[in-house]
Amino acid sequence: PFYERDYVCLNDVVSALIYIGESEHRKIYNVASGENIRNQDLFSLFEQVLGAKIYSTQNLQPAPSPVINVERMMDDFSWRAT
């Protein structure tokens, strides 16, 4: 439950790939939300929305995950994950 990752909606990924594919820019982009979300927060959301309780099988306390920098997507395309 303590792991955190940058989760992004598939619709946002497709939108970003269209921007990148149709552009003249030839750079590498990070397609992400730019925010980390703890698995426990996702478990709570699923429980609220679906009424299904999720239990973690591991209670390890990992090192924090780095936040993905999405500034290039914002600067070049004014794109941000929703």
Side-chain angles (χ1 to χ4, degrees):
F2 303 107
Y3 282 91
E4 57 181 44
R5 298 289 183 262
D6 186 319
Y7 295 100
V8 63
C9 177
L10 182 58
N11 290 341
D12 290 335
V13 173
V14 171
S15 163
L17 292 176
I18 290 170
Y19 277 113
I20 294 167
E22 292 179 345
S23 77
E24 297 296 322
H25 300 282
R26 300 289 181 216
K27 296 180 180 178
I28 296 172
Y29 293 93
N30 290 328
V31 177
S33 69
E35 295 180 33
N36 289 342
I37 299 173
R38 285 184 332 129
N39 284 349
Q40 184 59 51
D41 295 335
L42 283 180
F43 298 167
S44 297
L45 179 63
F46 291 151
E47 184 175 358
Q48 290 173 3
V49 173
L50 303 174
K53 184 122 176 107
I54 298 174
Y55 298 95
S56 175
T57 59
Q58 296 183 3
N59 286 319
L60 302 174
Q61 195 95 33
S65 297
V67 175
I68 298 173
N69 184 326
V70 294
E71 287 180 23
R72 189 177 287 171
M73 283 296 296
M74 191 62 189
D75 291 346
D76 287 358
F77 306 112
S78 299
W79 180 91
R80 180 166 294 245
T82 56

